[in-house]
Amino acid sequence: MDIDEIVRLLRKQHGQPERRPCLDPLSELIATILSQNTSDLNSGRAFEWLIATFRTWELVADAHVDEIVAAIAGGGLSRVKAPRIKAILGRIREERDSFDLSFLGGMPLEEARVWLESLPGVGPKTAACVLLFSLGRPALPVDTHVYRIARRLGLLGDRVSVEVAHRVLQAMVPAESIYEFHMNMVKHGRKVCRSRRPLCSGCGLIEDCTYGKTAVREAGG
């Protein structure tokens, strides 16, 4: 299926996504780390608790990891995320002598991506989230919804990993459509093209989706 057509059909079904209020790049990075494998509600609360507890990133960086664990305990996987956050802040301060990541906005996109992915525990999705949401750069985060739908539509082969999918889909989607594509693919994955029991009969993409047509046919629709 043509990417422009996918963008058009998703817009028809879900509307034009509005740009959300953006955080500064470091806050977006930490918020994204906290969002991993948990709900938006819980990760949002954990971020608020972290900020309320320490006030500055300098204080978070200097805190004992157990203090960070306590601050984000309600967000899920705190004993995994706390040392990761501390390690990231330590690396940034060591390399930049600052916690200001706005310089990434002026770097070539691929260089900015590589720099972010050099940080401890930062993969392509997290890097892309920082670049797209905080800095407005055309970097495409491939989360579980984007990955699932892209595979069902045949945009990705069965053996393409999530990591490789970032490069493949990034090359497919026009820069000006990346934000809309990502946001509406996520919305579509949550509401329609779910992992289990997808609502294929109500999908605006079904005419060009072999997976969906097969599912409807097997269901007798």
Side-chain angles (χ1 to χ4, degrees), residues 145-217:
H145 301 295
V146 175
Y147 185 61
R148 180 175 63 253
I149 298 169
R151 292 182 69 190
R152 288 176 174 176
L153 290 173
L155 298 177
L156 299 171
D158 290 340
R159 297 185 179 183
V160 174
S161 68
V162 177
E163 289 73 22
V164 173
H166 278 83
R167 297 197 298 271
V168 173
L169 292 175
Q170 177 81 40
M172 285 186 184
V173 182
E176 65 274 12
S177 299
I178 281 179
Y179 184 85
E180 179 179 355
F181 177 84
H182 171 79
M183 296 300 289
N184 276 345
M185 286 279 274
V186 171
K187 186 178 291 186
H188 199 66
R190 289 173 172 169
K191 293 186 174 183
V192 182
C193 194
R194 303 177 303 198
S195 178
R196 298 181 180 180
R197 299 180 183 177
L199 305 176
C200 296
S201 60
C203 176
L205 305 176
I206 194 169
E207 288 304 314
D208 290 290
C209 181
T210 301
Y211 176 93
K213 287 180 179 179
T214 300
V216 169
R217 184 169 61 250

Side-chain angles (χ1 to χ4, degrees), residues 42 44-55 70-75:
N42 284 342
R45 286 173 175 170
F47 182 80
E48 291 174 2
W49 294 331
L50 185 66
I51 296 300
T53 300
F54 294 103
R55 302 294 179 183
I72 64 174

Side-chain angles (χ1 to χ4, degrees), residues 65-77:
V65 69
D66 287 344
E67 295 177 290
I68 303 174
V69 169
I72 64 174
L77 297 175

Side-chain angles (χ1 to χ4, degrees), residues 8-220:
R8 186 188 70 79
L9 291 172
L10 288 172
R11 186 189 306 135
K12 182 178 180 181
Q13 185 158 11
H14 300 294
Q16 178 79 46
E18 295 184 4
R19 283 273 179 180
R20 72 184 196 186
C22 65
L23 298 170
D24 67 88
L26 181 55
S27 295
E28 185 67 48
L29 174 58
I30 302 303
T32 304
I33 295 293
L34 290 169
S35 74
Q36 294 169 354
N37 299 302
T38 192
S39 68
D40 290 345
L41 179 62
N42 284 342
S43 67
R45 286 173 175 170
F47 182 80
E48 291 174 2
W49 294 331
L50 185 66
I51 296 300
T53 300
F54 294 103
R55 302 294 179 183
T56 70
W57 295 122
E58 185 81 28
L59 291 175
V60 179
D62 290 337
H64 190 279
V65 69
D66 287 344
E67 295 177 290
I68 303 174
V69 169
I72 64 174
L77 297 175
S78 58
R79 294 207 170 272
V80 174
K81 296 173 182 177
R84 185 173 299 169
I85 290 169
K86 184 172 175 63
I88 287 171
L89 292 174
R91 175 74 66 79
I92 291 171
R93 180 163 60 183
E94 179 183 342
E95 291 194 12
R96 301 291 304 178
D97 196 29
S98 166
F99 292 112
D100 182 4
L101 300 185
S102 60
F103 72 94
L104 293 168
M107 292 178 71
L109 181 60
E110 191 56 31
E111 289 183 22
R113 190 197 309 275
V114 168
W115 191 90
L116 283 165
E117 290 183 23
S118 73
L119 298 173
V122 174
K125 177 195 165 187
T126 299
C129 284
V130 174
L131 293 168
L132 179 66
F133 296 128
S134 180
L135 295 165
R137 308 294 301 276
L140 177 58
V142 178
D143 74 346
T144 183
H145 301 295
V146 175
Y147 185 61
R148 180 175 63 253
I149 298 169
R151 292 182 69 190
R152 288 176 174 176
L153 290 173
L155 298 177
L156 299 171
D158 290 340
R159 297 185 179 183
V160 174
S161 68
V162 177
E163 289 73 22
V164 173
H166 278 83
R167 297 197 298 271
V168 173
L169 292 175
Q170 177 81 40
M172 285 186 184
V173 182
E176 65 274 12
S177 299
I178 281 179
Y179 184 85
E180 179 179 355
F181 177 84
H182 171 79
M183 296 300 289
N184 276 345
M185 286 279 274
V186 171
K187 186 178 291 186
H188 199 66
R190 289 173 172 169
K191 293 186 174 183
V192 182
C193 194
R194 303 177 303 198
S195 178
R196 298 181 180 180
R197 299 180 183 177
L199 305 176
C200 296
S201 60
C203 176
L205 305 176
I206 194 169
E207 288 304 314
D208 290 290
C209 181
T210 301
Y211 176 93
K213 287 180 179 179
T214 300
V216 169
R217 184 169 61 250
E218 290 177 351

